[in-house]
């Protein structure tokens, strides 16, 4: 089992920045990749950014150039640096970790990010 705990959410003005953290604990050695998702009220959960164990990084088009995902393996932590925030970035942000073999997936409890216009 893997436990994920997010932190760093909050209220910020448009144009501001926040950094989210997700600390993994438990059986972490099998983690192959970690991602950040978000879910705004009334909308489906969407992928924001992902980093694989090999270091491959991908971003949603809506956050490219503004968000940066990074991973500190020594601290079992993945970060999401968010800059130039917009009102449409308001959502609950979730950390996600997965294993390929055996196939397993884990979710954090989520952290609220609210961007005021």
């Amino acid at each position: 089992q893997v436990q994920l705990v997010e932190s760093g959410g909050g209220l910020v003005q448009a144009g501001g920045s926040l950094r989210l953290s997700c600390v993994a604990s438990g059986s972490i050695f099998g983690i192959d990749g970690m991602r950040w998702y978000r879910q705004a009220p009334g909308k489906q959960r969407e992928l924001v950014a992902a980093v694989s164990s090999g270091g491959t990084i991908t971003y949603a088009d809506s956050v490219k150039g503004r968000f940066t995902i990074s991973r500190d393996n020594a601290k079992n932590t993945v970060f999401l640096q968010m800059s130039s925030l917009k009102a449409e970035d308001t959502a609950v942000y979730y950390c996600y970790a997965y294993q390929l073999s055996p196939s397993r997936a884990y979710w954090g409890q989520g952290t609220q990010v609210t961007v005021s216009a």
Side-chain angles (χ1 to χ4, degrees), residues 13 36 38 50 60 67 75 78-80 95 98 106 109 111:
Q13 289 186 335
W36 287 98
R38 67 185 180 187
F67 290 12
K75 296 182 179 180
V78 64
F79 302 97
L80 186 67
C95 182
Y98 65 89
Y106 306 94
Q109 82 287 354
T111 185

Side-chain angles (χ1 to χ4, degrees), residues 34-68:
M34 298 186 76
R35 300 170 180 168
W36 287 98
Y37 286 81
R38 67 185 180 187
Q39 187 166 20
K43 295 187 177 181
Q44 289 188 332
R45 193 170 295 189
E46 63 174 354
L47 177 64
V48 175
V51 57
S52 71
S53 57
T56 300
I57 290 175
T58 57
Y59 295 100
D61 288 342
S62 59
V63 305
K64 282 181 181 177
R66 300 189 298 120
F67 290 12
T68 302

Side-chain angles (χ1 to χ4, degrees), residues 14-105:
S17 299
L18 281 175
R19 188 174 84 154
L20 305 183
S21 300
C22 172
V23 179
S25 61
S27 302
I28 61 174
F29 296 106
I31 292 177
D32 290 294
M34 298 186 76
R35 300 170 180 168
W36 287 98
Y37 286 81
R38 67 185 180 187
Q39 187 166 20
K43 295 187 177 181
Q44 289 188 332
R45 193 170 295 189
E46 63 174 354
L47 177 64
V48 175
V51 57
S52 71
S53 57
T56 300
I57 290 175
T58 57
Y59 295 100
D61 288 342
S62 59
V63 305
K64 282 181 181 177
R66 300 189 298 120
F67 290 12
T68 302
I69 189 171
S70 60
R71 186 172 175 177
D72 185 335
N73 290 326
K75 296 182 179 180
N76 305 320
T77 302
V78 64
F79 302 97
L80 186 67
Q81 178 67 48
M82 306 185 294
S83 302
S84 302
L85 283 161
K86 306 175 182 180
E88 50 263 44
D89 294 318
T90 294
V92 177
Y93 284 70
Y94 296 91
C95 182
Y96 171 92
Y98 65 89
Q99 298 176 358
L100 296 175
S101 181
S103 179
R104 292 177 180 166

